[in-house]
Amino acid sequence: MPPASNREAILDAYERLLVEQGERAATVEAVARAAGVSKGGLLYHFASKDELADAAIERLHRVAAECAEEATAQPDGVIEVFLRDAVKTGDPLDLALGAVQALQQSGRYPQAKPALDAVVQGWVDMLTEGLGDPVLARLVAVLGDGLYFGAAFSGGGAGIATPPASEQELDEMIAAVQQLAALRGARG
């Protein structure tokens, strides 16, 4: 029996192909080649592309839950943790989100959109619980979306995003939102 790590390496390769080249390029053969396994080795773990897609969606749920758990355990509070995490790109959560987004955009995997929606709603719920203020929670979520968009898309030269926030700007935004939270009586 192949080691369990082969399964994760195959899933890693699948996610990278989805993000970098799109769903159509992520064929079983291409995934096997990218993972450094035979097609038979891939099929041992995933009997079809549909099983790969289901595993990527499952991984997104798992990684998002782990990140939310870590965020709520941090002493800095959910505002700071959430906004600092929003500017991170290339980490496991970013890769999982990008992969499932590629599945959703392909139109072939209807289970992708509800999965993405559930992850985003989970973040809003985490913020609402942590802050005790649903309006402030949505404000922080939208700010986080904008910070992520700037971090993820500004490097391509297309000019479609606000430049990423500098460390000082991020510190100042966090402080401003924390001041607003204090004014609103949130726990932030």
Side-chain angles (χ1 to χ4, degrees), residues 81-144:
V81 172
F82 184 80
L83 294 179
R84 289 200 186 282
D85 283 353
V87 298
K88 293 179 183 174
T89 58
D91 66 355
L93 179 58
D94 182 43
L95 187 58
L97 280 167
V100 176
Q101 181 66 31
L103 292 172
Q104 190 269 328
Q105 288 175 341
S106 77
R108 294 192 57 230
Y109 301 93
Q111 69 273 37
K113 182 171 181 353
L116 291 165
D117 291 345
V119 167
V120 171
Q121 187 61 52
W123 292 333
V124 172
D125 292 346
M126 175 196 70
L127 289 166
T128 300
E129 184 177 323
L131 298 171
D133 183 336
V135 172
L136 187 60
R138 290 286 292 164
L139 178 66
V140 172
V142 170
L143 178 57

Side-chain angles (χ1 to χ4, degrees), residues 19-165:
V19 169
E20 294 169 5
Q21 298 179 31
E23 187 272 335
R24 292 174 62 112
T27 64
V28 169
E29 294 81 7
V31 174
R33 191 171 37 258
V37 299
S38 68
K39 183 177 176 182
L42 182 146
L43 293 172
Y44 175 83
H45 293 286
F46 303 99
S48 66
K49 255 183 95 168
D50 288 342
E51 283 191 21
L52 276 166
D54 289 341
I57 291 167
E58 181 182 304
R59 180 185 268 184
L60 171 61
H61 285 296
R62 185 178 69 249
V63 171
E66 289 167 1
C67 289
E69 188 176 308
E70 288 175 22
T72 57
Q74 296 296 318
D76 295 330
V78 294
I79 292 172
E80 182 162 355
V81 172
F82 184 80
L83 294 179
R84 289 200 186 282
D85 283 353
V87 298
K88 293 179 183 174
T89 58
D91 66 355
L93 179 58
D94 182 43
L95 187 58
L97 280 167
V100 176
Q101 181 66 31
L103 292 172
Q104 190 269 328
Q105 288 175 341
S106 77
R108 294 192 57 230
Y109 301 93
Q111 69 273 37
K113 182 171 181 353
L116 291 165
D117 291 345
V119 167
V120 171
Q121 187 61 52
W123 292 333
V124 172
D125 292 346
M126 175 196 70
L127 289 166
T128 300
E129 184 177 323
L131 298 171
D133 183 336
V135 172
L136 187 60
R138 290 286 292 164
L139 178 66
V140 172
V142 170
L143 178 57
D145 289 347
L147 287 167
Y148 174 76
F149 188 79
F153 296 105
S154 65
I160 62 167
T162 302

Side-chain angles (χ1 to χ4, degrees), residues 84 147 162-176:
R84 289 200 186 282
L147 287 167
T162 302
S166 69
E167 192 64 34
Q168 180 180 347
E169 289 171 323
L170 183 58
D171 290 344
E172 291 174 7
M173 283 187 254
I174 290 168

